[in-house]
Amino acid sequence: MDDDNYAKPHEISTFVRAMRTSKADVLTSFVDFFWGEDRPDITSDRPSYMFLGGSADVGAFKNCFGDANCFVRRDSFDAIGGYTEDHGVGFEDWEMYANASLRGFKVDIVPEAVYCYRFTQGSMQKSTDFFKNRRRSLRPYLDSLPESLHSVILNAVFPRGADGSISRGTGLAAEGGSRFHGVESMVDSQLRAQTEKAPPPQIPHIPKVQAAEAQGGGARDEL
């Protein structure tokens, strides 16, 4: 779980119950969004975003698996190999879920928002290179395919224009452009609103006594 997100009180117990029932190796969930520094409102009965589940086929084109917030069996995590470590590159969770699905591990979804995802202006998704992130999510597919087929999947996800430049995908692949496809404009609008209503930074008030002492002149004249 990312350290800036918020776990609902029943998150762990729900994951444990779902894992025992489903026999899944990896579980993610639906998600609620929030902005700002305060605790989120967790009274909503409708999730902000719903992931579809662990389809390795769909996962090549869009993140159907879930956010980084997950619950994984220890022995399965070790067998999958955990996360790769690429400094400054995102989508490590997408890569791990795809790797697990392609190797026959069960990746499933809890159909409930058991945590809240915090949006900020400086999030990794907004501050890292899209093409590097997206290429990372494709690594399990490229590793599982013969090299002769690599161009097929790369051209589907990164089509080239008439001038040879790489552009973002179209169709289903266009939905792989962000972690939460379809809500980007709403997220940007909320972040702008948060910025606009933020109060200006306050200059701390220093009493005259302290100010005089700090300047080495003593406080006698001010008293």
Side-chain angles (χ1 to χ4, degrees):
M1 182 175 193
D2 288 340
D3 60 4
D4 58 346
N5 291 341
Y6 183 89
K8 295 184 180 180
H10 62 289
E11 177 185 26
I12 294 178
S13 61
T14 301
F15 271 139
V16 170
R17 187 168 63 252
M19 185 160 281
R20 286 174 175 170
T21 302
S22 67
K23 309 301 182 185
D25 296 289
V26 182
L27 285 174
T28 62
S29 72
F30 293 170
V31 56
D32 281 337
F33 297 155
F34 76 112
W35 294 260
E37 300 300 324
D38 297 329
R39 290 189 175 187
D41 177 10
I42 59 174
T43 59
S44 173
D45 59 353
R46 297 182 63 185
S48 302
Y49 197 87
M50 297 182 290
F51 292 98
L52 300 178
S55 169
D57 296 335
V58 175
F61 300 99
K62 63 175 289 185
N63 181 9
C64 59
F65 302 111
D67 179 46
N69 191 86
C70 64
F71 198 74
V72 190
R73 292 182 186 273
R74 174 60 185 270
D75 56 349
S76 300
F77 185 81
D78 291 340
I80 293 166
Y83 298 100
T84 60
E85 297 183 15
D86 292 21
H87 180 71
V89 183
F91 288 172
E92 70 282 356
D93 47 340
W94 186 350
E95 179 191 21
M96 195 268 278
Y97 301 147
N99 183 32
S101 293
L102 287 168
R103 294 175 56 190
F105 292 92
K106 185 176 182 181
V107 181
D108 214 339
I109 297 281
V110 173
E112 178 185 353
V114 296
Y115 78 106
C116 300
Y117 182 99
R118 186 194 307 269
F119 281 99
T120 62
Q121 291 285 3
S123 67
M124 191 170 184
Q125 187 172 197
K126 291 182 173 295
S127 59
T128 54
D129 184 271
F130 164 76
F131 292 104
K132 289 182 179 179
N133 295 345
R134 192 66 180 88
R135 177 70 183 239
R136 183 180 191 175
S137 70
L138 288 176
R139 192 153 49 191
Y141 296 94
L142 298 176
D143 289 345
S144 66
L145 290 171
E147 190 171 348
S148 59
L149 294 178
H150 286 190
S151 61
V152 175
I153 191 168
L154 289 173
N155 288 336
V157 175
F158 302 122
R160 290 187 177 273
D163 61 353
S165 62
I166 299 175
S167 59
R168 292 177 180 251
T170 59
L172 187 61
E175 299 186 22
S178 69
R179 187 178 300 277
F180 304 109
H181 173 74
V183 300
E184 294 89 343
S185 60
M186 181 270 288
V187 169
D188 289 342
S189 175
Q190 288 284 354
L191 288 175
R192 282 196 300 272
Q194 286 287 327
T195 301
E196 290 168 359
K197 75 178 183 181
Q202 297 294 313
I203 300 174
H205 172 68
I206 302 176
K208 290 184 178 181
V209 171
Q210 294 181 17
E213 290 177 343
Q215 294 171 1
R220 184 173 305 168
D221 293 340
E222 298 297 339
L223 293 173

